């Protein structure tokens, strides 16, 4: 028998009171209970990184975390990156440098990079590029993603 519980998720500074099975993963809660479908599910077992979101500022694979575990923490998803209709510098750089093709992996890359840069400001550009090797893209061959990241780093740090 399934056990449901009411939890409150804080996502992009907005509260969502939702009723979920205790085994519901955070990615499904974000997509299906909070209506935030920008977080994508690829492998669903922690390999591809498409589902990456920030939990208390740290990149997390939301297919490997239960929604209940995120209660009381601040979750950020790709929907929270743009401010006042202005894209985040990293989003703009992905457009400018053709860092995406189908776009399926893009939200995961964006959240991973934002989380790494914000939480580890002392990392060098090369170390940040190394950190994003944990995410997979089936389309781009990675070179344009790396170009986009390198181009956005000065503004992100500034
Ligand atoms: Fe979570 Fe692939 S869907 S790591
Ligand atoms: Fe298609 Fe990365 S742009 S998977």
């Amino acid at each position: 028998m399934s056990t449901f519980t009411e939890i409150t998720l804080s996502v992009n500074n907005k509260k969502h009171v939702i009723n979920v099975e205790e085994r519901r993963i955070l990615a499904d809660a974000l997509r299906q209970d909070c209506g935030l479908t920008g977080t994508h599910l690829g492998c669903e077992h922690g390999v591809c990184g498409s589902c990456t979101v920030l939990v208390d500022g740290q990149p997390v694979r939301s297919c490997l975390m239960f929604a209940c575990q995120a209660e009381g923490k601040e979750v950020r998803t790709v929907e929270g990156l743009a401010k006042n209709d202005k894209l985040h510098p990293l989003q703009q750089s992905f457009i400018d440098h053709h860092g995406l093709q189908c776009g399926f992996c893009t939200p995961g890359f964006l959240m991973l990079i934002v989380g790494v840069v914000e939480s580890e400001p002392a990392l060098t550009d090369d170390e940040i590029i190394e950190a994003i090797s944990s995410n997979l893209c089936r389309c781009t061959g990675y070179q344009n993603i790396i170009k986009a990241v390198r181009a956005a780093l000065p503004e992100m740090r500034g």
Side-chain angles (χ1 to χ4, degrees):
M1 197 174 90
S2 301
T3 309
F4 282 79
T5 187
E6 185 178 281
I7 62 171
T8 302
L9 290 184
S10 178
V11 189
N12 304 326
N13 294 315
K14 184 174 169 205
K15 304 277 186 220
H16 296 260
V17 180
I18 58 177
N19 205 23
V20 293
E21 280 185 283
E22 290 176 355
R23 65 181 179 174
R24 192 158 190 70
I25 58 172
L26 178 59
D28 284 342
L30 291 170
R31 290 176 55 82
Q32 296 175 32
D33 301 307
C34 302
L36 296 167
T37 54
T39 299
H40 293 163
L41 274 165
C43 67
E44 299 189 59
H45 63 184
V47 174
C48 71
S50 296
C51 64
T52 303
V53 299
L54 303 187
V55 177
D56 282 348
Q58 295 298 319
V60 165
R61 277 149 152 70
S62 60
C63 68
L64 296 183
M65 184 173 189
F66 292 118
C68 298
Q69 294 174 296
E71 193 168 33
K73 302 178 190 300
E74 182 57 37
V75 180
R76 284 169 68 197
T77 68
V78 71
E79 287 90 346
L81 283 185
K83 296 282 179 256
N84 303 322
D85 293 334
K86 186 172 189 304
L87 290 177
H88 186 283
L90 187 60
Q91 290 175 304
Q92 188 60 53
S93 195
F94 265 63
I95 294 171
D96 295 344
H97 296 88
H98 308 289
L100 65 149
Q101 288 182 26
C102 78
F104 190 88
C105 67
T106 311
F109 270 100
L110 294 173
M111 298 317 293
L112 173 64
I113 297 156
V114 168
V116 168
V117 172
E118 288 182 0
S119 64
E120 310 249 13
L123 288 183
T124 65
D125 291 13
D126 287 344
E127 287 169 330
I128 290 166
I129 299 300
E130 176 68 26
I132 64 171
S133 65
S134 65
N135 278 27
L136 301 179
C137 172
R138 294 177 299 182
C139 305
T140 64
Y142 300 101
Q143 293 310 309
N144 286 353
I145 293 176
I146 291 169
K147 272 188 215 160
V149 175
R150 285 194 191 281
L153 283 175
E155 191 174 349
M156 289 177 72
R157 291 192 176 109

